[in-house]
Amino acid sequence: MTDTSHKAASQTLREIASWQPGKGSADTDLLPELDTMVARSRDLTRNHGIAAGAMQTLSDNIVGTGFRLSAKPDYKALGKTKEWEEEWQAKVEGLWRSWADTFNCDAAKGLNFHGLTTQIFKSCLINGEALAVALWLPDRPFATTIQLVEPDRLSNPNNACDTKTLRGGIEFDKYGAPIAYHIQKEHPGDYWTGTASWERISAFTPFGRRRVLHVHDVSRIGQSRGKPVLSSIMPMFKMLDHYERSELQAAIVNAMIAAFIETPMDGESLNELFGGSSDDYLNAKKDWQVKLEGGSIIPVFPGDKVAPFTPSRPNSAYGSFVENLLRHIGTGLNIPYELLLKDFSKTNYSSARSALLEAWRYFNGRRQWLADYWATPVYELWLEEAVNKGLIDAPDFYKNRYAYTRCKWIGPGRGWVDPVKEAQACQIRMEIGLSTLEAECASQGLDWEEVLEQRAREKSKLAELGLTIGEQKNVEDKEYPQRTPRFKEERFAIDMSGMGFERSDESLYKNGYAMLNLSQLQYTTDSLNNNFNDETRGYISTLEKGNYFKKM
């Protein structure tokens, strides 16, 4: 009988008896260890190629070439028409691009909105969180600007201990909502930093405008700071790094040894040979040099022999062992092994597509998270200024803030494993009403209205120049969900007269069973059996009719 109802809670099982983790709150478990995890995460990303590649893969698939705004005001809630929505949308998106595509959106004038988004997301991956402050700089075309801040600067004033209302540099009210952020004026890691000082920045202005954007993933209730994405697999990643370097060093050492020179003479024999001292022999050995090259003849001392060296590195199980570890790491990062290593050589189309579809579920979830907690709040800040400047007509904006700021963000396209099959599937989905042109274009990082407008311009230009481009015709006999491709028959006549062949008499191969395939052999065997049975029955009939045999 066990000591507990659940074996997971056993205190006597030797395998888990020493496993006694603490049970603290989210911040108690995280905040004291956060600095160490962040430092190790940065070190892995700097110095391990696979870790750096994984961060770049996540960034490329989630942020990629950037987020494109698609304003979607709730025209029904605002009592407007669809035509008003389209007109309002076009104007807002045009003004947004004039701000987001320039460096004026960055307080440091070094990045556009895409660059800011990339830095925010990479900071969330490596540091576990990202921090930005919304500034008001009246000398810019739009006074709304974003100042990125390293999360290391977010800390309690004078490095004071955490309290119920002040944890990790963030002040909270009794409901757990952030009130203010304490940001150190200089990075604590700068060598020129003197006496540390902090600035308290309110989370919102008195009239409700957001001042601080703190982007982090909350995995537990009450968690005030984020943790690096590598946290759960960091020990395995580092041990893999040690193992790979040790294996490589061992292989290099093994490669440097070509052969051993062995001598059967012991110390006493050497002393007798050299008059009581072996120093002359050893000195001669040191001065003796042989360069190993192809076809070399190696001279050796009397009695010596050359013993070849068989290296044991790299280990024969090295590849499969490392692959297993990388699959574990890929699972922890929610990246398929093939995508983590950029290696699809061991997979087929179905497996690759399944792996990429699973990855894209994660990518789409992270993309939506980044849009909700970063892109949309920044858009709200900008839109508020544009409305107050009179550039955009939005009556009762503060009363209907959600209806006006409702939007979607179009990220980079997911690409196609097989373009033909994907395009056919896209067409089928739209024809049977399971999808729309907007959804299909968005999956490829395109705006459907821009696509249609561009196609209209191209058709007009083709008509103007008298050119035509073949369009796909509807196939009347197609059936869903399966399609059968049809191909025209083509015959090729190959002239083989110049190859010097001489035609042989076909009668030589008429009964050449050795030249038949299995199907032809089976057919011939059946024919021979039938002929044999017919001849046997005829012979028996002849004997009976000739009265050679009579029944008794």
Side-chain angles (χ1 to χ4, degrees), residues 144-188:
T144 300
T145 54
I146 304 298
Q147 175 72 63
L148 299 183
V149 178
E150 186 78 47
D152 297 353
R153 295 169 57 185
L154 181 62
S155 59
N156 293 342
N158 300 314
N159 296 315
C161 295
D162 293 327
T163 65
K164 184 177 180 180
T165 58
L166 178 61
R167 301 188 301 276
I170 307 174
E171 286 186 40
F172 297 94
D173 63 11
K174 62 180 180 179
Y175 300 108
I179 300 174
Y181 295 81
H182 295 266
I183 299 177
Q184 193 170 341
K185 293 184 178 180
E186 301 288 345
H187 193 285

Side-chain angles (χ1 to χ4, degrees), residues 237-541:
F237 230 139
K238 190 59 179 176
M239 287 187 285
L240 174 62
D241 181 40
H242 286 319
Y243 174 69
E244 287 180 323
R245 286 191 287 109
S246 300
E247 192 74 28
L248 179 59
Q249 290 170 353
I252 292 174
V253 171
N254 280 299
M256 295 173 64
I257 302 175
F260 291 107
I261 305 297
E262 297 180 353
T263 178
M265 304 177 68
D266 55 16
E268 294 181 359
S269 300
L270 289 174
N271 290 335
E272 293 178 0
L273 181 64
F274 288 92
S277 175
S278 60
D279 293 340
D280 295 339
Y281 176 79
L282 295 177
N283 291 331
K285 280 280 190 179
K286 292 178 181 179
D287 297 335
W288 179 65
Q289 296 181 356
V290 175
K291 187 176 182 180
L292 295 179
E293 294 179 347
S296 298
I297 298 176
I298 305 175
V300 296
F301 280 70
D304 290 354
K305 66 176 182 179
V306 179
F309 173 69
T310 304
S312 59
R313 301 289 182 173
N315 193 329
S316 59
Y318 170 78
S320 58
F321 177 71
V322 171
E323 179 180 334
N324 183 60
L325 291 179
L326 290 175
R327 289 186 183 278
H328 191 149
I329 290 172
T331 302
L333 291 172
N334 293 287
I335 303 178
Y337 169 81
E338 294 80 8
L339 197 58
L340 177 65
L341 273 293
K342 308 294 192 301
D343 179 14
F344 292 85
S345 60
K346 298 180 181 179
T347 186
N348 54 28
Y349 168 78
S350 299
S351 299
R353 179 171 170 77
S354 299
L356 292 177
L357 284 176
E358 186 65 27
W360 267 97
R361 290 189 182 96
Y362 172 72
F363 296 155
N364 287 333
R366 291 291 85 190
R367 184 180 295 174
Q368 186 62 47
W369 169 82
L370 186 61
D372 290 342
Y373 292 95
W374 159 252
T376 299
V378 173
Y379 168 61
E380 292 177 0
L381 292 172
W382 170 85
L383 184 61
E384 180 183 15
E385 179 186 357
V387 170
N388 287 324
K389 282 187 172 182
L391 300 176
I392 298 174
D393 183 24
D396 298 326
F397 174 78
Y398 291 101
K399 181 180 178 180
N400 301 291
R401 181 189 292 267
Y402 166 75
Y404 282 112
T405 58
R406 182 170 171 264
C407 63
K408 290 183 179 180
W409 296 93
I410 301 174
R414 66 182 180 183
W416 289 336
V417 179
D418 188 325
V420 176
K421 292 181 179 180
E422 296 282 356
Q424 290 175 347
C426 169
Q427 180 184 7
I428 294 173
R429 285 194 296 268
M430 290 194 295
E431 288 179 353
I432 64 178
L434 292 180
S435 184
T436 63
L437 182 61
E438 180 183 10
E440 297 298 334
C441 287
S443 68
Q444 298 304 317
L446 303 173
D447 185 283
W448 71 281
E449 291 183 335
E450 292 182 1
V451 171
L452 291 181
E453 291 172 358
Q454 181 63 28
R455 288 186 61 188
R457 287 192 295 268
E458 291 176 358
K459 284 187 176 182
S460 176
K461 192 66 175 180
L462 289 171
E464 178 184 345
L465 299 176
L467 301 175
T468 57
I469 296 180
E471 296 183 356
Q472 184 176 359
K473 297 181 180 180
N474 294 327
V475 181
E476 298 297 338
D477 57 346
K478 59 188 175 184
E479 296 182 358
Y480 300 111
Q482 181 179 358
R483 286 190 171 189
T484 303
R486 296 175 173 82
F487 302 93
K488 293 182 179 179
E489 180 180 347
E490 295 189 19
R491 296 185 179 183
F492 298 90
I494 302 176
D495 184 11
M496 304 180 65
S497 60
M499 305 180 80
F501 294 128
E502 295 182 0
R503 182 178 296 275
S504 302
D505 186 2
E506 294 183 1
S507 62
L508 296 175
Y509 306 99
K510 191 172 184 179
N511 297 317
Y513 302 119
M515 302 184 64
L516 302 179
N517 58 30
L518 291 177
S519 178
Q520 292 170 334
L521 284 172
Q522 183 65 37
Y523 178 79
T524 304
T525 302
D526 293 341
S527 299
L528 290 175
N529 288 333
N530 291 334
N531 292 338
F532 175 76
N533 293 333
D534 291 342
E535 291 181 2
T536 301
R537 285 192 295 269
Y539 181 71
I540 294 174
S541 177

